[in-house]
Amino acid sequence: MLRLTDFIIDCPDAMKLAAFYSEVVGLPVKEGSNEHWAGIQFGDIELAFTPVEDYRPPQWPDSEHPKQFHLDFEVDDIEAEQSRVLALGATLQRECVGPNGYGFRVYTDPVGHPFCLCRNKGVVWTDGRPVWPERDQ
């Protein structure tokens, strides 16, 4: 049986980047995290951060230094969440939100990894969680 347990992000400072994403997602940095491995638990999956020597950030959208991955976060209020992530140290890179308020915005975290705040049509929020519309198979 195969089970995804960790999504690990290289960075120059594990605790700093874990603290940034902890604030973004509203979950604590795991107890026992340190400068060698810091994590945030999402159910059975841990978003983890580990330092690498000579870290070179992605230069999205430059293909010479590709992004390697990105994270999408569905939000119920894209304007409020944008203000919050910018205050935490994110940088807005691209705006792709239409006049109806749906779409996404691309940001980079403090060490250059891209992530998106998304507002998808048909998603409703129940008990603080997004509920996705049924899709045709």
Side-chain angles (χ1 to χ4, degrees):
M1 179 175 173
L2 183 131
R3 181 175 294 148
L4 179 64
T5 59
D6 301 285
F7 186 92
I8 303 159
I9 299 174
D10 292 348
C11 60
D13 184 316
M15 290 300 289
K16 267 190 179 175
L17 197 56
F20 170 81
Y21 279 106
S22 173
E23 291 294 325
V24 167
V25 301
L27 294 170
V29 174
K30 276 179 63 173
E31 191 172 320
S33 291
N34 59 47
E35 69 274 7
H36 304 292
W37 180 278
I40 300 169
Q41 198 69 44
F42 288 84
D44 292 338
I45 298 173
E46 181 175 340
L47 181 60
F49 309 91
T50 186
V52 295
E53 219 173 288
D54 192 31
Y55 173 77
R56 286 175 278 166
Q59 301 295 312
W60 180 89
D62 176 7
S63 61
E64 293 235 359
H65 298 77
K67 65 180 179 175
Q68 302 153 7
F69 75 89
H70 79 269
L71 301 171
D72 282 352
F73 298 100
E74 182 71 21
V75 299
D76 60 349
D77 183 340
I78 203 162
E79 299 302 329
E81 291 302 325
Q82 173 170 288
S83 294
R84 201 171 65 77
V85 300
L86 292 176
L88 292 170
T91 302
L92 178 62
Q93 299 293 335
R94 181 181 289 173
E95 166 88 32
C96 298
V97 175
N100 58 6
Y102 296 108
F104 62 94
R105 291 182 181 149
V106 181
Y107 305 82
T108 48
D109 68 23
V111 297
H113 299 296
F115 69 94
C116 297
L117 297 182
C118 306
R119 182 70 182 110
N120 288 291
K121 191 171 185 174
V123 172
V124 294
W125 287 75
T126 304
D127 297 326
R129 299 176 54 122
V131 178
W132 296 85
E134 293 291 322
R135 303 270 187 219
D136 293 335
Q137 301 292 347

